[in-house]
């Protein structure tokens, strides 16, 4: 028996377990489906794509995407201590003040920009974003090319303005990945009131008389149960948290009844409101051997292991920019990730030789998708339908982003490096439909708010079920304008504060 059970040791779960155990008389059980974070590639920043489709990846696939030529898109999600913070590109972006003010205006008191700033600062006190230790010359050329293309420099995307081009700051410590497990969980393990289980698959939340009492889990072929006296908190992410709610009888009654799942709370919004950042890579061959294509050498490994320096400290997406696709917009609606390497289909496609990639990202998608059950079997992955480009307005910013990526690549600073494009996007729209992929930012499937499709209230408590909260990226009512890890950790910091009140 524990006071709190936290499901998922990812970006949010590690933060929450750490903060809750700061109260000595509160016991916390943190349960993670994957293993510990011992794999060497987790800690070498440039090696993150080697974790894709491995034992530490949930390895999800979406439903066929009608507006992306019927393709099923691969969605990597971390399945280990640290979750996706142990396999992402480590970019630290808070998002815009307007993002959080919009959350507040949607009925979430206490979630405006001024309200959440202290919790971002709390994250940064334990996980201060760092400058990259080794920057590739192609990334410097990208910034110079942005300047020639009319995009000003921005030394800090988390400063007074987001627009402009600059180097990304990263969640690293001395050149090594610094995940949520490193920053929060491992120091907290020294406390006697934190227990961590790995390799445990949760089947459902146990709900009795309208209250969450504990969880049922699978271990070595057996079904077991563990109980909480205070609360059960889902921090399983934008896929895992709605999946567990649905398996537990919390969700649209019609969907649950069709699968024979007893309805504990009829919440039609569970699994709805799925949002993600869609990206399309524009890649070129490089005429000089300066990219990251050949960094896997013994000397580079020794540089990393001994001095924590060299190209293996790269986060791949070293530089980027925030721009407006139209001059009349009040805020930027396209983000760029630049990598001094071929990055095609998550790195699985190998064009050969040296290269570089510029990836425009749709920052504020209007399209909304959903997570739904395929069956009542807890080990069967849910159906993931992001419904990319289902709103026609989402296409235009990406088209302008592809055009701008070409202009940047054609600028003079790339003259010493630019080879042929890997793919010729004669028609940007056709290119997007054939090549667009996730940039790994699913959110919104258990959104907070006060409308009929809201799943949690502003205190992140699940509507209609006592003793149950959701604390992760799934509670975002609207996706933030940038990479999502920082905002996810902020949510957990604020949730811990709310629970301590």
């Amino acid at each position: 028996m524990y006071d709190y059970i936290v499901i998922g040791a990812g970006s949010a779960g590690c933060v929450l377990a750490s903060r809750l155990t700061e109260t000595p008389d509160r016991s916390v059980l943190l349960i993670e489906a994957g293993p510990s974070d011992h794999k060497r590639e987790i800690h070498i920043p440039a090696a993150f794509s080697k974790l894709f489709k491995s034992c530490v990846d949930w390895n999800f696939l979406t439903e066929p995407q009608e507006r992306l030529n019927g393709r099923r898109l691969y969605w990597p999600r971390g399945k280990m201590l640290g979750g996706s913070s142990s396999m992402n590109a480590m970019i630290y972006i808070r998002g815009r003040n307007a993002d959080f003010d919009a959350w507040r205006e949607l009925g979430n008191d206490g979630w405006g920009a001024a309200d959440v700033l202290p919790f971002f600062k709390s994250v940064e006190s334990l996980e201060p974003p760092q400058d990259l230790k080794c920057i590739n010359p192609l990334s410097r050329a990208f910034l110079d090319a942005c300047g020639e293309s009319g995009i000003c420099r921005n030394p800090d995307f988390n400063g007074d303005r987001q627009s402009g081009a600059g180097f990304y700051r990263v969640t690293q410590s001395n050149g090594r990945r610094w995940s949520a497990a490193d920053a929060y969980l491992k120091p907290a393990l020294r406390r006697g009131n934190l227990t961590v289980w790995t390799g445990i698959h949760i089947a459902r939340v146990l709900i009795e008389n309208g209250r969450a009492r504990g969880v049922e889990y699978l271990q070595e072929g057996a079904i077991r149960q563990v109980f909480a006296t205070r609360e059960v908190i889902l921090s399983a992410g934008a896929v895992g948290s709605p999946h567990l709610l649905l398996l537990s009888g919390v969700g649209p009654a019609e969907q649950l009844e069709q699968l024979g799942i007893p309805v504990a709370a009829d919440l039609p919004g569970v699994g709805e409101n799925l949002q993600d950042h869609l990206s399309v890579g524009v890649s070129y061959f490089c005429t000089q051997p300066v990219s990251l294509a050949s960094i896997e050498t013994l000397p580079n490994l020794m540089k990393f292991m001994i001095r924590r320096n060299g190209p293996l400290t790269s986060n791949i997406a070293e530089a980027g920019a925030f721009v407006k696709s139209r001059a009349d917009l009040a805020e930027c609606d396209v983000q760029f990730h630049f990598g001094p390497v071929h990055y095609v289909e998550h790195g699985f496609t190998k064009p050969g030789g040296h290269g570089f990639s510029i990836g425009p990202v749709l920052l504020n998608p209007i399209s909304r998708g959903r997570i739904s059950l395929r069956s009542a079997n807890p080990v069967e992955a849910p159906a993931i339908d992001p419904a990319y480009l289902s709103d026609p307005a989402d296409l235009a910013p990406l088209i302008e982003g592809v055009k701008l990526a070409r202009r940047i690549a054609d600028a003079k600073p790339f003259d010493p490096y630019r080879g042929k494009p890997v793919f010729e996007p004669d028609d940007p729209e056709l290119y997007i439909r054939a090549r667009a992929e996730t940039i790994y930012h699913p959110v919104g499937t258990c959104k907070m708010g006060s409308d009929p499709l809201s799943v949690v209230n502003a205190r992140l408590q699940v509507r209609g079920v006592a003793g149950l909260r959701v604390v992760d990226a799934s509670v975002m009512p609207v996706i933030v304008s940038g990479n999502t890890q920082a905002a996810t950790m902020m949510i957990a910091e604020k949730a811990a504060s709310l629970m301590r009140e």
Side-chain angles (χ1 to χ4, degrees):
M1 186 80 74
Y2 298 86
D3 289 313
Y4 299 100
I5 298 175
V6 180
I7 307 304
S11 298
C14 288
V15 174
L16 193 60
S18 174
R19 292 306 190 193
L20 290 177
T21 53
E22 289 176 345
T23 303
D25 62 349
R26 301 287 170 85
S27 60
V28 176
L29 172 63
L30 176 63
I31 304 178
E32 168 57 39
S36 188
D37 59 347
H38 294 320
K39 282 179 72 71
R40 185 174 69 175
E41 293 86 354
I42 294 171
H43 308 289
I44 301 175
F48 72 83
S49 66
K50 293 184 178 295
L51 302 170
F52 292 171
K53 299 189 178 181
S54 73
C55 64
V56 295
D57 179 12
W58 284 97
N59 190 19
F60 292 124
L61 283 176
T62 71
E63 297 299 286
Q65 293 301 287
E66 176 185 350
R67 297 156 192 89
L68 297 179
N69 295 354
R71 292 181 292 132
R72 292 168 63 95
L73 272 59
Y74 163 63
W75 273 22
R77 306 308 300 157
K79 188 180 182 183
M80 72 203 97
L81 293 183
S84 293
S85 78
S86 289
M87 71 183 297
N88 65 2
M90 295 153 279
I91 296 172
Y92 188 90
I93 298 287
R94 289 180 184 171
R96 294 193 297 253
N97 287 343
D99 296 333
F100 307 106
D101 288 341
W103 291 7
R104 182 191 59 212
E105 291 162 10
L106 289 171
N108 298 295
D109 290 342
W111 289 90
D115 303 309
V116 303
L117 180 59
F119 300 104
F120 275 117
K121 291 183 175 179
S122 185
V123 170
E124 292 154 17
S125 69
L126 288 183
E127 191 158 12
Q130 303 288 308
D131 292 328
L132 288 162
K133 296 192 73 175
C134 183
I135 295 176
N136 190 274
L138 289 168
S139 298
R140 299 186 188 279
F142 170 77
L143 293 194
D144 292 340
C146 284
E148 287 214 356
S149 303
I151 304 170
C152 62
R153 287 287 182 101
N154 187 343
D156 183 5
F157 292 125
N158 297 310
D160 293 335
R161 63 179 174 86
Q162 190 183 57
S163 61
F167 297 116
Y168 285 122
R169 305 193 77 195
V170 292
T171 51
Q172 292 182 9
S173 177
N174 192 28
R176 180 182 180 273
R177 178 189 294 276
W178 196 242
S179 70
D182 293 315
Y184 283 87
L185 184 60
K186 291 173 184 178
L189 284 171
R190 295 191 289 265
R191 301 172 189 146
N193 56 343
L194 174 60
T195 302
V196 178
W197 291 354
T198 57
I200 302 296
H201 192 99
I202 303 299
R204 65 188 177 106
V205 179
L206 298 170
I207 300 173
E208 299 174 3
N209 300 319
R211 183 175 186 85
R213 301 293 183 184
V215 297
E216 188 171 271
Y217 62 95
L218 309 177
Q219 185 180 35
E220 298 176 350
I223 299 176
R224 296 184 170 93
Q225 296 179 342
V226 63
F227 298 95
T229 58
R230 290 179 177 269
E231 293 189 32
V232 175
I233 304 106
L234 301 184
S235 296
V239 178
S241 288
H243 188 208
L244 280 172
L245 286 177
L246 293 167
L247 290 169
S248 308
V250 180
E254 183 178 359
Q255 180 185 159
L256 301 176
E257 290 166 351
Q258 288 176 351
L259 295 172
I261 298 174
V263 178
D266 181 8
L267 289 182
V270 174
E272 298 295 319
N273 193 49
L274 174 60
Q275 300 155 64
D276 185 31
H277 285 145
L278 190 63
S279 176
V280 55
V282 179
S283 297
Y284 287 79
F285 290 99
C286 183
T287 58
Q288 295 191 38
V290 295
S291 79
L292 298 178
S294 55
I295 62 172
E296 294 182 42
T297 65
L298 183 57
N300 283 338
L301 182 59
M302 296 304 293
K303 282 182 184 178
F304 178 80
M305 299 299 291
I306 296 172
R307 300 201 303 268
R308 292 289 189 262
N309 209 329
L312 288 176
T313 64
S314 172
N315 72 323
I316 308 299
E318 295 181 355
F322 290 85
V323 302
K324 299 176 183 179
S325 66
R326 303 193 324 266
D328 63 328
L329 293 174
E331 301 277 7
C332 298
D333 62 339
V334 174
Q335 179 183 6
F336 283 96
H337 294 94
F338 175 84
V341 67
H342 289 303
Y343 198 75
V344 181
E345 295 176 351
H346 312 281
F348 297 127
T349 295
K350 307 292 186 182
H354 289 266
F356 60 88
S357 302
I358 306 172
V361 176
L362 176 67
L363 269 184
N364 308 119
I366 303 172
S367 302
R368 297 290 186 268
R370 63 198 50 81
I371 303 288
S372 57
L373 291 179
R374 297 183 188 277
S375 74
N377 182 353
V379 299
E380 183 175 4
I384 301 170
D385 183 9
Y388 290 122
L389 304 182
S390 54
D391 192 300
D394 285 345
L395 186 60
L398 276 177
I399 289 175
E400 294 305 313
V402 169
K403 291 178 179 177
L404 180 55
R406 288 295 186 193
R407 291 198 298 274
I408 293 170
D410 286 339
K412 186 176 180 179
F414 276 117
D415 286 351
Y417 308 110
R418 184 193 323 103
K420 293 182 178 179
V422 176
F423 304 107
E424 288 282 2
D426 295 328
D427 184 319
E429 179 179 341
L430 296 180
Y431 185 80
I432 291 164
R433 296 192 189 280
R435 298 289 170 192
E437 299 280 355
T438 179
I439 202 67
Y440 321 124
H441 299 160
V443 308
T445 47
C446 301
K447 75 169 184 175
M448 62 175 165
S450 55
D451 65 279
L453 291 181
S454 296
V455 176
V456 299
N457 61 22
R459 299 183 67 83
L460 308 185
Q461 298 161 316
V462 176
R463 297 184 179 280
V465 183
L468 182 61
R469 294 188 204 234
V470 180
V471 179
D472 57 29
S474 70
V475 306
M476 296 184 192
V478 181
I479 195 167
V480 293
S481 302
N483 308 72
T484 52
Q485 180 191 350
T488 300
M489 297 175 77
M490 174 278 291
I491 288 167
E493 283 277 10
K494 183 169 173 63
S497 176
L498 291 170
M499 294 171 71
R500 286 193 298 261
E501 288 179 358

